[in-house]
Amino acid sequence: MKDPDRESPDIRQAIEADERLVHSVREGVRQYQELLESADSSAIAIMLTIWQLSGAQRLANEKAFAELDLPVNVAGNRLTILRTLYFAPERRMAVASLSRETGLTVTWVTSLVETLGQAGLVRRMGSAEDRRVSIVCLTPDGEEAFRGIVPAMGQAMAQTCRNLSEEEKDQLLALLHRLF
């Protein structure tokens, strides 16, 4: 094993982050075991780790997106809305369809669309076929923003999985699919 004092600051920081994650998960498992007699410690550790990694990925995305100088923070659910619209036919969807596609409530989608609309990334309009339906369209600025986000997102995702071989990535993906 290499001497940590001889490692680069980035590597030391990554090692310390890994140690914090492991400690946090172990502590979480211990806490659940105190509360639940029949606690499945492995299942708890897996889910706590996924939760921690999800948060870490969100932070990495936010850091990468901050460098893009967009008119609004597009991390989290705002990114989900932009991504869904970007890949939708004609870059538009009804609010109810966005809700179903993203798993977010109609109220939450409406709020996110309002914020993205104020930033000029999406536009909301009525449906020509049904006045009760609200359609959300990605604007040209929204398309440009998403195209700018994709490389940062891809880099953040690759960085997260940097220590896994292709075989390990395939195996992890298969296991995660079995969870859900």
Side-chain angles (χ1 to χ4, degrees):
M1 188 167 142
K2 291 184 179 179
D3 179 2
D5 294 331
R6 301 181 92 183
E7 299 285 349
S8 73
D10 289 342
I11 292 173
R12 276 196 305 274
Q13 189 176 18
I15 291 168
E16 289 168 2
D18 289 347
E19 290 169 355
R20 284 192 303 272
L21 171 66
V22 169
H23 174 74
S24 175
V25 168
R26 283 185 182 147
E27 183 62 16
V29 169
R30 185 193 61 73
Q31 291 166 340
Y32 276 94
Q33 286 174 325
E34 285 179 4
L35 293 173
L36 303 168
E37 279 184 35
S38 62
D40 180 341
S41 59
S42 295
I44 294 166
I46 289 166
M47 296 313 295
L48 289 176
T49 301
I50 290 171
W51 187 20
Q52 293 268 352
L53 292 173
S54 174
Q57 186 64 49
R58 187 180 67 252
L59 290 173
N61 285 350
E62 287 178 10
K63 181 180 175 186
F65 300 162
E67 297 172 7
L68 298 175
D69 197 32
L70 297 173
V72 67
N73 179 343
V74 293
N77 289 327
R78 290 182 191 146
L79 175 61
T80 300
I81 297 295
L82 285 179
R83 183 183 62 233
T84 304
L85 287 171
Y86 188 85
F87 292 110
E90 299 180 29
R91 311 248 198 269
R92 63 180 62 211
M93 289 181 88
V95 169
S97 297
L98 260 174
S99 172
R100 277 191 305 279
E101 185 76 20
T102 61
L104 302 169
T105 66
V106 170
T107 303
W108 189 233
V109 168
T110 301
S111 175
L112 294 165
V113 165
E114 180 69 25
T115 303
L116 291 168
Q118 290 171 356
L121 301 178
V122 302
R123 185 180 78 239
R124 205 161 110 181
M125 60 189 195
S127 167
E129 294 85 34
D130 187 341
R131 293 181 335 164
R132 298 169 296 174
V133 175
S134 184
I135 304 292
V136 181
C137 306
L138 199 58
T139 65
D141 286 347
E143 286 186 44
E144 184 180 335
F146 187 77
R147 281 193 302 272
I149 289 167
V150 170
M153 256 179 30
Q155 188 175 25
M157 287 186 258
Q159 182 66 18
T160 298
C161 297
R162 71 189 174 282
N163 294 325
L164 299 176
S165 69
E166 288 305 312
E167 183 179 321
E168 289 169 327
K169 289 176 195 174
D170 291 343
Q171 184 179 22
L172 178 58
L173 186 59
L175 291 169
L176 289 170
H177 282 192
R178 285 180 50 196
L179 286 177
F180 302 100

